[in-house]
Short mmCIF file of all heavy atoms in Angstrom, two decimals:
data_model
loop_
_atom_site.label_atom_id
_atom_site.label_comp_id
_atom_site.label_asym_id
_atom_site.label_seq_id
_atom_site.Cartn_x
_atom_site.Cartn_y
_atom_site.Cartn_z
N ARG C 1 105.68 86.55 107.66
CA ARG C 1 105.71 86.67 106.22
C ARG C 1 104.91 87.94 105.81
O ARG C 1 105.07 88.41 104.82
CB ARG C 1 105.16 85.39 105.54
CG ARG C 1 105.98 84.17 105.83
CD ARG C 1 105.47 83.06 104.94
NE ARG C 1 105.65 83.40 103.53
CZ ARG C 1 106.78 83.24 102.88
NH1 ARG C 1 107.93 82.76 103.47
NH2 ARG C 1 106.90 83.56 101.58
N ARG C 2 103.84 88.38 106.63
CA ARG C 2 103.25 89.56 106.30
C ARG C 2 103.25 90.53 107.50
O ARG C 2 102.87 90.08 108.66
CB ARG C 2 101.70 89.21 106.04
CG ARG C 2 101.41 88.56 104.78
CD ARG C 2 99.88 88.39 104.47
NE ARG C 2 99.39 89.61 103.89
CZ ARG C 2 98.21 90.09 104.00
NH1 ARG C 2 97.26 89.48 104.70
NH2 ARG C 2 97.80 91.25 103.33
N VAL C 3 103.53 91.73 107.24
CA VAL C 3 103.75 92.77 108.33
C VAL C 3 102.90 93.92 107.97
O VAL C 3 102.82 94.38 106.71
CB VAL C 3 105.25 93.11 108.48
CG1 VAL C 3 105.43 94.33 109.49
CG2 VAL C 3 106.05 91.95 108.95
N LEU C 4 102.34 94.53 108.85
CA LEU C 4 101.51 95.76 108.67
C LEU C 4 102.10 96.94 109.57
O LEU C 4 102.36 96.59 110.70
CB LEU C 4 100.04 95.54 109.09
CG LEU C 4 99.03 96.69 109.14
CD1 LEU C 4 98.99 97.39 107.75
CD2 LEU C 4 97.76 96.21 109.64
N GLU C 5 102.31 98.06 109.00
CA GLU C 5 102.90 99.17 109.69
C GLU C 5 101.91 100.42 109.56
O GLU C 5 101.47 100.75 108.48
CB GLU C 5 104.19 99.50 109.11
CG GLU C 5 104.89 100.76 109.79
CD GLU C 5 106.22 101.00 109.32
OE1 GLU C 5 106.36 101.21 108.08
OE2 GLU C 5 107.19 101.12 110.00
N ILE C 6 101.72 101.04 110.68
CA ILE C 6 100.82 102.31 110.78
C ILE C 6 101.81 103.38 111.09
O ILE C 6 102.29 103.56 112.21
CB ILE C 6 99.70 102.24 111.80
CG1 ILE C 6 98.94 100.91 111.71
CG2 ILE C 6 98.80 103.38 111.67
CD1 ILE C 6 98.25 100.69 110.36
N GLY C 7 102.15 104.19 110.16
CA GLY C 7 103.18 105.25 110.26
C GLY C 7 104.44 104.96 109.63
O GLY C 7 105.39 104.28 110.17
N THR C 8 104.64 105.38 108.40
CA THR C 8 105.93 105.13 107.69
C THR C 8 107.04 106.17 108.02
O THR C 8 108.21 105.66 108.10
CB THR C 8 105.59 105.16 106.20
OG1 THR C 8 104.47 104.40 105.79
CG2 THR C 8 106.87 104.72 105.38
N PHE C 9 106.72 107.39 108.11
CA PHE C 9 107.68 108.54 108.19
C PHE C 9 108.56 108.30 107.04
O PHE C 9 108.21 108.18 105.96
CB PHE C 9 108.32 108.58 109.62
CG PHE C 9 109.14 109.80 109.78
CD1 PHE C 9 108.60 111.03 109.43
CD2 PHE C 9 110.37 109.77 110.41
CE1 PHE C 9 109.29 112.20 109.72
CE2 PHE C 9 111.07 110.98 110.72
CZ PHE C 9 110.54 112.18 110.33
N THR C 10 109.91 108.41 107.29
CA THR C 10 110.82 108.25 106.22
C THR C 10 111.29 106.69 105.82
O THR C 10 112.19 106.65 105.11
CB THR C 10 112.22 109.06 106.42
OG1 THR C 10 112.77 108.63 107.68
CG2 THR C 10 111.81 110.55 106.43
N GLY C 11 110.68 105.78 106.55
CA GLY C 11 110.86 104.41 106.12
C GLY C 11 111.88 103.64 106.91
O GLY C 11 112.16 102.50 106.52
N TYR C 12 112.40 104.11 108.02
CA TYR C 12 113.43 103.39 108.73
C TYR C 12 112.95 102.08 109.25
O TYR C 12 113.50 101.09 109.11
CB TYR C 12 113.98 104.23 109.89
CG TYR C 12 115.29 103.65 110.38
CD1 TYR C 12 116.52 104.16 110.12
CD2 TYR C 12 115.23 102.65 111.35
CE1 TYR C 12 117.71 103.63 110.63
CE2 TYR C 12 116.37 102.15 111.91
CZ TYR C 12 117.47 102.65 111.50
OH TYR C 12 118.77 102.03 112.10
N SER C 13 111.82 102.18 110.02
CA SER C 13 111.19 100.88 110.52
C SER C 13 110.82 100.02 109.47
O SER C 13 110.99 98.69 109.60
CB SER C 13 110.06 101.20 111.43
OG SER C 13 109.07 102.00 110.81
N ALA C 14 110.21 100.44 108.33
CA ALA C 14 109.83 99.53 107.26
C ALA C 14 111.07 98.80 106.70
O ALA C 14 111.13 97.65 106.35
CB ALA C 14 109.22 100.34 106.20
N LEU C 15 112.22 99.60 106.40
CA LEU C 15 113.34 99.05 105.95
C LEU C 15 113.93 98.01 106.87
O LEU C 15 114.37 96.84 106.55
CB LEU C 15 114.49 100.10 105.77
CG LEU C 15 115.85 99.67 105.35
CD1 LEU C 15 115.79 98.94 103.95
CD2 LEU C 15 116.81 100.86 105.17
N SER C 16 113.99 98.31 108.24
CA SER C 16 114.47 97.42 109.14
C SER C 16 113.63 96.08 109.19
O SER C 16 114.28 95.00 109.29
CB SER C 16 114.42 97.99 110.70
OG SER C 16 115.22 99.10 110.76
N MET C 17 112.33 96.18 109.14
CA MET C 17 111.56 94.89 109.15
C MET C 17 111.58 94.10 107.89
O MET C 17 111.60 92.96 107.83
CB MET C 17 110.12 95.27 109.52
CG MET C 17 109.95 95.68 110.95
SD MET C 17 108.21 95.98 111.46
CE MET C 17 107.82 97.58 110.58
N ALA C 18 111.69 94.95 106.76
CA ALA C 18 111.72 94.32 105.43
C ALA C 18 113.10 93.46 105.32
O ALA C 18 113.09 92.31 104.66
CB ALA C 18 111.71 95.27 104.27
N GLU C 19 114.15 93.94 105.98
CA GLU C 19 115.42 93.21 105.88
C GLU C 19 115.28 91.79 106.52
O GLU C 19 116.05 90.97 106.22
CB GLU C 19 116.55 94.09 106.60
CG GLU C 19 116.99 95.25 105.83
CD GLU C 19 117.84 96.17 106.55
OE1 GLU C 19 118.07 96.01 107.81
OE2 GLU C 19 118.49 97.04 106.02
N ALA C 20 114.38 91.67 107.48
CA ALA C 20 114.16 90.50 108.15
C ALA C 20 113.15 89.46 107.55
O ALA C 20 113.01 88.28 107.94
CB ALA C 20 113.82 90.62 109.69
N LEU C 21 112.32 90.05 106.64
CA LEU C 21 111.25 89.17 105.98
C LEU C 21 111.98 88.26 104.99
O LEU C 21 112.94 88.51 104.27
CB LEU C 21 110.33 90.17 105.21
CG LEU C 21 109.23 90.88 106.08
CD1 LEU C 21 108.43 91.85 105.15
CD2 LEU C 21 108.31 89.81 106.71
N PRO C 22 111.31 87.07 104.79
CA PRO C 22 111.92 86.20 103.86
C PRO C 22 111.51 86.62 102.36
O PRO C 22 110.70 87.47 102.18
CB PRO C 22 111.19 84.89 104.18
CG PRO C 22 109.87 85.25 104.78
CD PRO C 22 110.20 86.56 105.54
N ALA C 23 112.14 85.96 101.46
CA ALA C 23 111.83 86.23 100.03
C ALA C 23 110.30 85.94 99.92
O ALA C 23 109.85 84.94 100.37
CB ALA C 23 112.64 85.38 99.09
N GLY C 24 109.53 86.80 99.19
CA GLY C 24 108.13 86.69 99.03
C GLY C 24 107.36 87.27 100.18
O GLY C 24 106.10 87.24 100.10
N GLY C 25 108.01 87.71 101.20
CA GLY C 25 107.30 88.35 102.29
C GLY C 25 106.74 89.68 101.90
O GLY C 25 107.20 90.29 100.88
N GLU C 26 105.84 90.23 102.64
CA GLU C 26 105.17 91.47 102.36
C GLU C 26 104.97 92.32 103.54
O GLU C 26 104.64 91.84 104.71
CB GLU C 26 103.81 91.20 101.79
CG GLU C 26 102.89 92.41 101.49
CD GLU C 26 101.47 92.17 101.09
OE1 GLU C 26 100.92 91.30 101.85
OE2 GLU C 26 100.89 92.84 100.22
N LEU C 27 105.31 93.71 103.31
CA LEU C 27 105.01 94.62 104.42
C LEU C 27 104.22 95.74 103.78
O LEU C 27 104.72 96.31 102.80
CB LEU C 27 106.50 95.20 104.91
CG LEU C 27 106.35 96.08 106.10
CD1 LEU C 27 107.70 96.01 106.93
CD2 LEU C 27 105.97 97.59 105.87
N VAL C 28 103.07 96.06 104.32
CA VAL C 28 102.16 97.10 104.05
C VAL C 28 102.39 98.24 105.03
O VAL C 28 102.19 97.97 106.15
CB VAL C 28 100.71 96.71 103.90
CG1 VAL C 28 99.86 97.84 103.61
CG2 VAL C 28 100.49 95.51 103.04
N SER C 29 102.84 99.47 104.51
CA SER C 29 103.12 100.61 105.39
C SER C 29 102.08 101.69 105.08
O SER C 29 102.06 102.13 103.83
CB SER C 29 104.56 100.94 105.28
OG SER C 29 104.91 101.97 106.22
N CYS C 30 101.51 102.27 106.02
CA CYS C 30 100.33 103.28 105.83
C CYS C 30 100.94 104.66 106.38
O CYS C 30 101.33 104.70 107.43
CB CYS C 30 99.14 102.91 106.56
SG CYS C 30 98.47 101.15 106.19
N ASP C 31 100.70 105.76 105.61
CA ASP C 31 101.04 107.05 106.05
C ASP C 31 100.25 108.05 105.22
O ASP C 31 99.64 107.72 104.19
CB ASP C 31 102.56 107.28 105.90
CG ASP C 31 102.97 108.37 106.97
OD1 ASP C 31 102.57 109.49 106.96
OD2 ASP C 31 103.83 107.93 107.80
N VAL C 32 100.18 109.21 105.79
CA VAL C 32 99.45 110.36 105.07
C VAL C 32 100.37 111.35 104.37
O VAL C 32 99.80 112.16 103.56
CB VAL C 32 98.45 111.07 106.01
CG1 VAL C 32 97.39 110.08 106.48
CG2 VAL C 32 99.17 111.64 107.19
N ASP C 33 101.62 111.32 104.62
CA ASP C 33 102.53 112.39 104.24
C ASP C 33 103.25 112.02 102.85
O ASP C 33 104.07 111.15 102.92
CB ASP C 33 103.58 112.72 105.32
CG ASP C 33 104.36 113.93 105.03
OD1 ASP C 33 104.56 114.29 103.85
OD2 ASP C 33 104.85 114.58 106.04
N PRO C 34 102.89 112.62 101.72
CA PRO C 34 103.52 112.23 100.51
C PRO C 34 105.02 112.56 100.48
O PRO C 34 105.79 111.86 99.78
CB PRO C 34 102.70 113.01 99.43
CG PRO C 34 102.17 114.13 100.16
CD PRO C 34 101.81 113.63 101.60
N LYS C 35 105.43 113.63 101.20
CA LYS C 35 106.84 114.05 101.20
C LYS C 35 107.75 113.03 101.75
O LYS C 35 108.71 112.63 101.19
CB LYS C 35 106.98 115.47 101.75
CG LYS C 35 108.36 115.98 101.74
CD LYS C 35 108.54 117.37 102.34
CE LYS C 35 109.93 117.92 102.33
NZ LYS C 35 110.03 119.28 102.92
N THR C 36 107.33 112.64 103.00
CA THR C 36 108.16 111.66 103.71
C THR C 36 108.08 110.20 103.02
O THR C 36 108.97 109.38 103.05
CB THR C 36 107.83 111.54 105.21
OG1 THR C 36 106.50 111.38 105.36
CG2 THR C 36 108.28 112.85 105.95
N GLY C 37 106.78 110.06 102.46
CA GLY C 37 106.70 108.80 101.71
C GLY C 37 107.53 108.64 100.56
O GLY C 37 108.05 107.56 100.22
N GLU C 38 107.73 109.79 99.90
CA GLU C 38 108.71 109.71 98.72
C GLU C 38 110.18 109.46 99.18
O GLU C 38 110.90 108.71 98.49
CB GLU C 38 108.60 111.07 98.07
CG GLU C 38 109.39 111.21 96.74
CD GLU C 38 110.91 111.37 96.77
OE1 GLU C 38 111.39 112.02 97.76
OE2 GLU C 38 111.64 110.96 95.91
#
């Protein structure tokens, strides 16, 4: 229900994991690059 990610890049892994989280689940994704974060 809660996932933590170190390294977002363009969000592929975050999207993949979010698709499997239940409604109300949360994924916190950390990165330093505002361009790829956007």
Side-chain angles (χ1 to χ4, degrees):
R1 296 191 62 85
R2 292 190 79 208
V3 173
L4 173 60
E5 176 177 58
I6 313 299
T8 310
F9 193 42
T10 57
Y12 192 100
S13 51
L15 175 62
S16 298
M17 292 186 286
E19 290 172 346
L21 280 172
E26 177 191 41
L27 190 155
V28 179
S29 186
C30 308
D31 207 295
V32 294
D33 189 333
K35 182 177 179 181
T36 53
E38 189 278 329

